[in-house]
PDB file of all heavy atoms in Angstrom:
ATOM      1  N   ASN B  33     150.332  92.106  89.273  1.00 96.00           N
ATOM      2  CA  ASN B  33     149.982  90.897  88.554  1.00 96.00           C
ATOM      3  C   ASN B  33     148.708  90.252  89.139  1.00 96.00           C
ATOM      4  O   ASN B  33     148.695  89.094  89.469  1.00 96.00           O
ATOM      5  CB  ASN B  33     151.134  89.886  88.536  1.00 96.00           C
ATOM      6  CG  ASN B  33     152.269  90.370  87.646  1.00 96.00           C
ATOM      7  OD1 ASN B  33     152.043  90.990  86.595  1.00 96.00           O
ATOM      8  ND2 ASN B  33     153.505  90.126  88.063  1.00 96.00           N
ATOM      9  N   TYR B  34     147.693  91.081  89.295  1.00 97.00           N
ATOM     10  CA  TYR B  34     146.439  90.665  89.924  1.00 97.00           C
ATOM     11  C   TYR B  34     145.250  90.974  88.997  1.00 97.00           C
ATOM     12  O   TYR B  34     144.317  91.651  89.417  1.00 97.00           O
ATOM     13  CB  TYR B  34     146.282  91.329  91.295  1.00 97.00           C
ATOM     14  CG  TYR B  34     147.329  91.025  92.309  1.00 97.00           C
ATOM     15  CD1 TYR B  34     147.890  92.006  93.090  1.00 97.00           C
ATOM     16  CD2 TYR B  34     147.777  89.692  92.459  1.00 97.00           C
ATOM     17  CE1 TYR B  34     148.855  91.730  94.024  1.00 97.00           C
ATOM     18  CE2 TYR B  34     148.755  89.387  93.415  1.00 97.00           C
ATOM     19  CZ  TYR B  34     149.270  90.383  94.176  1.00 97.00           C
ATOM     20  OH  TYR B  34     150.255  90.093  95.130  1.00 97.00           O
ATOM     21  N   VAL B  35     145.362  90.495  87.802  1.00 98.00           N
ATOM     22  CA  VAL B  35     144.276  90.619  86.826  1.00 98.00           C
ATOM     23  C   VAL B  35     143.484  89.293  86.760  1.00 98.00           C
ATOM     24  O   VAL B  35     144.151  88.227  86.674  1.00 98.00           O
ATOM     25  CB  VAL B  35     144.774  91.014  85.443  1.00 98.00           C
ATOM     26  CG1 VAL B  35     143.607  91.070  84.455  1.00 98.00           C
ATOM     27  CG2 VAL B  35     145.433  92.376  85.514  1.00 98.00           C
ATOM     28  N   TYR B  51     143.027  83.914  86.821  1.00 98.00           N
ATOM     29  CA  TYR B  51     143.358  84.785  87.934  1.00 98.00           C
ATOM     30  C   TYR B  51     144.888  85.033  87.940  1.00 98.00           C
ATOM     31  O   TYR B  51     145.640  84.281  87.349  1.00 98.00           O
ATOM     32  CB  TYR B  51     142.892  84.160  89.261  1.00 98.00           C
ATOM     33  CG  TYR B  51     143.616  82.872  89.675  1.00 98.00           C
ATOM     34  CD1 TYR B  51     144.663  82.918  90.558  1.00 98.00           C
ATOM     35  CD2 TYR B  51     143.180  81.641  89.165  1.00 98.00           C
ATOM     36  CE1 TYR B  51     145.347  81.724  90.895  1.00 98.00           C
ATOM     37  CE2 TYR B  51     143.800  80.500  89.523  1.00 98.00           C
ATOM     38  CZ  TYR B  51     144.895  80.526  90.370  1.00 98.00           C
ATOM     39  OH  TYR B  51     145.522  79.359  90.755  1.00 98.00           O
ATOM     40  N   ASP B  52     145.254  86.104  88.636  1.00 97.00           N
ATOM     41  CA  ASP B  52     146.668  86.482  88.686  1.00 97.00           C
ATOM     42  C   ASP B  52     147.318  86.511  87.285  1.00 97.00           C
ATOM     43  O   ASP B  52     148.380  85.895  87.040  1.00 97.00           O
ATOM     44  CB  ASP B  52     147.430  85.602  89.636  1.00 97.00           C
ATOM     45  CG  ASP B  52     146.985  85.762  91.092  1.00 97.00           C
ATOM     46  OD1 ASP B  52     146.244  86.700  91.361  1.00 97.00           O
ATOM     47  OD2 ASP B  52     147.370  84.915  91.928  1.00 97.00           O
ATOM     48  N   VAL B  53     146.647  87.124  86.392  1.00 97.00           N
ATOM     49  CA  VAL B  53     147.077  87.378  84.977  1.00 97.00           C
ATOM     50  C   VAL B  53     146.950  86.154  84.102  1.00 97.00           C
ATOM     51  O   VAL B  53     146.371  86.233  83.003  1.00 97.00           O
ATOM     52  CB  VAL B  53     148.521  87.936  84.880  1.00 97.00           C
ATOM     53  CG1 VAL B  53     148.987  88.000  83.452  1.00 97.00           C
ATOM     54  CG2 VAL B  53     148.629  89.263  85.610  1.00 97.00           C
ATOM     55  N   SER B  54     147.516  85.013  84.544  1.00 98.00           N
ATOM     56  CA  SER B  54     147.638  83.923  83.605  1.00 98.00           C
ATOM     57  C   SER B  54     147.356  82.542  84.227  1.00 98.00           C
ATOM     58  O   SER B  54     147.553  81.524  83.520  1.00 98.00           O
ATOM     59  CB  SER B  54     149.037  83.893  82.999  1.00 98.00           C
ATOM     60  OG  SER B  54     150.021  83.748  84.047  1.00 98.00           O
ATOM     61  N   ASN B  55     146.853  82.510  85.440  1.00 97.00           N
ATOM     62  CA  ASN B  55     146.537  81.190  86.071  1.00 97.00           C
ATOM     63  C   ASN B  55     145.155  80.758  85.788  1.00 97.00           C
ATOM     64  O   ASN B  55     144.219  81.582  85.882  1.00 97.00           O
ATOM     65  CB  ASN B  55     146.818  81.294  87.567  1.00 97.00           C
ATOM     66  CG  ASN B  55     148.286  81.474  87.914  1.00 97.00           C
ATOM     67  OD1 ASN B  55     149.126  80.705  87.470  1.00 97.00           O
ATOM     68  ND2 ASN B  55     148.580  82.513  88.668  1.00 97.00           N
TER      69      ASN B  55
END
Side-chain angles (χ1 to χ4, degrees):
Chain B
N33 288 324
Y34 297 137
V35 175
Y51 67 96
D52 293 350
V53 174
S54 59
N55 292 307

